[in-house]
């Protein structure tokens, strides 16, 4: 981990992915983040470097289940033959690790969240046939030789630069837990024992408070044969749950669906048929991520069809809740963008558009700005549920799209807002 010339930290991000789709996930990382990903010997994980300014983009990857920032990697960790010696070594390791950059990334990651919530299930990898252990508060306190982690203890903790963590906002003590995912048959210890002893040492070092459910930080101890990775979780729950609210007995992970669809190398106008859609996981993922194709879903089970419909409604409601319906303030950018896009698809000299809006002032300004592309023919004043609105009939001018003075390129991203509560429109 180091700092780049523009003062951004460069760290290693680890990601769990559906087993077998590691190369697919690596391709997505290269395509969207622009870096090469390394596939772990422990199947189902990839690692890639990233600067902190791209952390939000990492969360938009579609092929990854859980994300974590790497504190330290050991390719050939020499575990002791004795259980007692190994556990003692893990305890001593806690104070020697380079925590600073990983904790800075964890802080930044928290600011990216719109609202705070706690990880109920954590980042234990349930799909792996491995030994998984999570240490609880009692075990950590016992291993830390009955060290008290009371709330007042955190107030005197040194800052991050001295490898100690500051108190959480509002002087609340930081709560944590350690999750150990272990695979291999040559270890003298269990995952629970590793999590317990390592967690106790972390607690003693940072003076954090152990909490199994309402934790702020989840420290990960991933052990696969001789490979060991210590990390800090960046996801509150697996990203594979992003599309589905109504689950069935055979619901596929959204991350797995993405991998399957990506293998198809879908092209615009391709038709994708899922005759056994279950809860609609595949067509939903496709419609969201590969939206230039057309999706047909069906099932001979009525309950499955109902679950699919409910999942569609859930996604539509979630999008509406995120402010997709627009506002008067956004209309000043939205209306000119819409008029320009409608002018692009309407036939010059004869195409028409009929629009309804309550925001008459904003729309009049937009029309005046787009005079080279549209001419207002008629206005009808109407009452819509007690709201006074105008219905505007516009005709496309003969101006060639892309060559009128008003036809200027807009800033990137504006075209993404294509719906507003104050307008309904159609064009021909």
């Amino acid at each position: 981990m180091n700092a780049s010339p523009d003062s951004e930290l460069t760290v290693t991000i680890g990601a769990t992915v559906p087993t077998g789709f590691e190369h697919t996930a690596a391709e997505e990382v290269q395509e969207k983040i622009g870096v090469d990903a390394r596939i772990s010997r422990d199947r189902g994980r990839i690692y890639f470097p990233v600067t902190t300014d791209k952390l939000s983009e990492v969360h938009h990857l579609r092929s990854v289940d859980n994300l974590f920032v790497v504190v330290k990697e050991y390719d050939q960790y020499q575990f002791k033959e004795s259980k007692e010696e190994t556990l003692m070594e893990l305890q001593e390791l806690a104070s020697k690790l380079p925590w600073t950059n990983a904790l800075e990334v964890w802080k930044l990651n928290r600011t990216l969240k719109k609202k705070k919530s706690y990880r109920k299930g954590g980042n234990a990898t349930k799909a792996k046939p491995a030994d998984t252990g999570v240490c609880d508060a009692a075990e950590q306190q016992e291993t830390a030789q009955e060290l008290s982690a009371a709330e007042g203890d955190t107030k005197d903790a040194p800052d991050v630069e001295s490898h100690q963590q500051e108190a959480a906002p509002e002087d609340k003590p930081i709560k944590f837990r350690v999750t150990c995912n272990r695979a291999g048959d040559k270890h003298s210890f269990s995952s629970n024992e590793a999590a317990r002893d390592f967690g106790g040492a972390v607690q003693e070092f940072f003076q954090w408070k152990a909490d199994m459910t309402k934790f702020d930080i989840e420290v990960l101890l991933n052990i696969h044969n001789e490979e060991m990775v210590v990390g800090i979780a960046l996801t509150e729950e697996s990203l594979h749950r992003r599309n589905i609210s109504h689950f069935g007995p055979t619901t596929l992970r959204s991350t797995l669906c993405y991998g399957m669809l990506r293998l198809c190398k879908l092209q615009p106008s391709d038709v994708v048929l899922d005759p056994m859609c279950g809860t609609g996981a595949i067509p939903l993922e496709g419609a969201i991520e590969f939206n230039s194709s057309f999706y047909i879903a069906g099932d001979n089970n009525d309950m499955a069809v109902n679950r699919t419909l409910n999942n569609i409604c859930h996604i539509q409601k979630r999008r509406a809740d995120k402010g997709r319906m627009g506002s008067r303030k956004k209309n000043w950018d939205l209306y000119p963008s819409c008029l320009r896009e409608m002018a692009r698809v309407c036939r010059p000299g004869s195409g028409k558009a009929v629009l309804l809006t309550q925001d008459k002032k904003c729309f009049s300004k937009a029309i005046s700005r787009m005079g080279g592309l549209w001419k207002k023919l008629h206005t009808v004043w109407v009452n819509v549920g007690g709201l006074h609105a105008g219905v505007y009939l516009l005709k496309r001018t003969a101006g060639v799209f892309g060559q009128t003075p008003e036809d200027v390129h807009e800033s990137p991203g504006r075209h993404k807002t294509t719906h507003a509560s104050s307008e309904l429109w159609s064009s021909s």
Side-chain angles (χ1 to χ4, degrees):
M1 301 180 189
N2 48 51
S4 61
D6 57 357
S7 299
E8 296 286 350
L9 288 176
T10 299
V11 296
T12 299
I13 297 295
T16 61
V17 302
T19 302
F21 280 95
E22 295 87 355
H23 288 282
T24 301
E27 289 176 2
E28 186 193 14
V29 169
Q30 173 58 243
E31 176 185 300
K32 297 181 178 179
I33 309 297
V35 297
D36 292 328
R38 169 173 54 86
I39 298 174
S40 171
R41 293 195 300 269
D42 182 12
R43 295 190 68 193
R45 288 192 178 91
I46 63 171
Y47 296 92
F48 54 94
V50 69
T51 52
T52 50
D53 61 319
K54 292 186 176 181
L55 186 59
S56 61
E57 298 176 35
V58 173
H59 280 275
H60 289 99
L61 293 172
R62 309 293 293 186
S63 58
V64 304
D65 289 322
N66 288 293
L67 296 165
F68 59 93
V69 57
V70 173
V71 176
K72 183 71 174 179
E73 292 182 79
Y74 299 91
D75 291 332
Q76 296 288 331
Y77 193 88
Q78 300 299 317
F79 292 102
K80 306 295 184 183
E81 293 184 6
S82 165
K83 177 195 298 187
E84 291 72 20
E85 289 181 312
T86 299
L87 295 178
M88 179 61 68
E89 196 171 67
L90 288 177
Q91 293 178 35
E92 295 172 351
L93 182 66
S95 61
K96 300 176 182 177
L97 293 171
W99 296 97
T100 304
N101 285 358
L103 288 172
E104 288 297 326
V105 172
W106 169 77
K107 286 182 181 178
L108 176 61
N109 192 67
R110 281 168 64 100
T111 66
L112 296 177
K113 305 295 183 182
K114 292 184 178 180
K115 60 181 180 179
K116 180 179 177 182
S117 60
Y118 292 101
R119 292 175 286 255
K120 295 181 180 180
N123 284 274
T125 309
K126 297 180 181 178
K128 291 178 177 295
D131 185 15
T132 301
V134 180
C135 64
D136 61 24
E139 289 176 321
Q140 290 178 4
Q141 290 168 342
E142 178 183 357
T143 308
Q145 298 177 347
E146 299 181 354
L147 174 69
S148 172
E151 296 184 4
D153 293 342
T154 60
K155 296 180 180 178
D156 299 324
D159 58 19
V160 173
E161 293 303 317
S162 61
H163 293 280
Q164 297 286 335
Q165 175 67 14
E166 297 174 345
E170 302 178 3
D171 293 327
K172 292 182 179 179
I174 289 182
K175 299 178 181 180
F176 86 108
R177 87 174 194 185
V178 172
T179 301
C180 178
N181 298 298
R182 185 184 64 84
D185 54 4
K186 295 183 179 180
H187 302 131
S188 60
F189 55 91
S190 67
S191 288
N192 282 328
E193 291 169 332
R196 180 196 65 202
D197 285 39
F198 182 71
V202 170
Q203 181 184 38
E204 181 176 4
F205 182 64
F206 286 106
Q207 295 292 284
W208 291 339
K209 183 177 181 180
D211 195 308
M212 282 285 292
T213 55
K214 296 183 178 180
F215 48 89
D216 303 296
I217 295 182
E218 183 177 21
V219 178
L220 304 175
L221 188 62
N222 297 326
I223 301 172
H224 180 257
N225 293 325
E226 295 181 344
E227 182 183 55
M228 183 170 74
V229 179
V230 180
I232 295 177
L234 299 179
T235 44
E236 296 177 350
E237 67 175 2
S238 176
L239 299 178
H240 82 267
R241 302 174 64 91
R242 56 180 173 259
N243 298 336
I244 306 300
S245 60
H246 294 71
F247 290 83
T250 58
T251 299
L252 293 178
R253 293 181 169 218
S254 297
T255 47
L256 180 59
C257 297
Y258 174 85
M260 295 171 65
L261 289 163
R262 191 178 177 95
L263 286 177
C264 295
K265 299 187 183 301
L266 295 173
Q267 301 298 314
S269 77
D270 279 353
V271 178
V272 180
L273 170 64
D274 186 353
M276 298 168 283
C277 68
T279 55
I282 292 176
L284 279 172
E285 181 66 23
I288 292 172
E289 184 63 15
F290 305 96
N291 54 19
S292 295
S293 299
F294 184 77
Y295 298 85
I296 302 175
D299 203 291
N300 64 358
N301 187 302
D302 291 341
M303 291 183 64
V305 174
N306 288 334
R307 291 190 183 106
T308 298
L309 292 173
N310 286 329
N311 284 324
I312 294 173
C313 292
H314 168 73
I315 292 176
Q316 290 176 329
K317 182 178 184 302
R318 186 176 63 191
R319 288 185 169 184
D321 291 343
K322 288 184 177 180
R324 187 170 166 267
M325 298 306 291
S327 66
R328 281 181 177 267
K329 183 178 180 180
K330 294 179 180 179
N331 287 346
W332 289 94
D333 289 330
L334 175 66
Y335 284 5
S337 299
C338 286
L339 288 172
R340 182 176 183 273
E341 180 64 10
M342 284 187 282
R344 184 182 69 83
V345 299
C346 280
R347 184 181 296 109
S350 62
K352 294 184 177 65
V354 181
L355 303 99
L356 182 151
T357 179
Q358 185 197 2
D359 197 347
K360 298 179 286 291
K361 179 180 178 180
C362 180
F363 189 76
S364 297
K365 289 286 186 180
I367 287 292
S368 65
R369 286 175 56 184
M370 293 290 155
L373 296 172
W374 292 104
K375 179 181 179 181
K376 184 170 68 174
L377 297 181
H378 188 54
T379 304
V380 178
W381 303 109
V382 297
N383 186 304
V384 183
L387 301 177
H388 297 286
V391 175
Y392 298 85
L393 174 61
L394 309 180
K395 183 178 180 180
R396 178 71 162 84
T397 68
V400 179
F401 184 82
Q403 298 182 12
T404 63
E406 298 83 357
D407 184 18
V408 294
H409 291 288
E410 302 165 6
S411 59
R414 279 189 184 175
H415 67 282
K416 294 180 180 179
T417 307
T418 57
H419 299 273
S421 59
S422 55
E423 71 150 357
L424 298 171
W425 62 272
S426 61
S427 60
S428 61

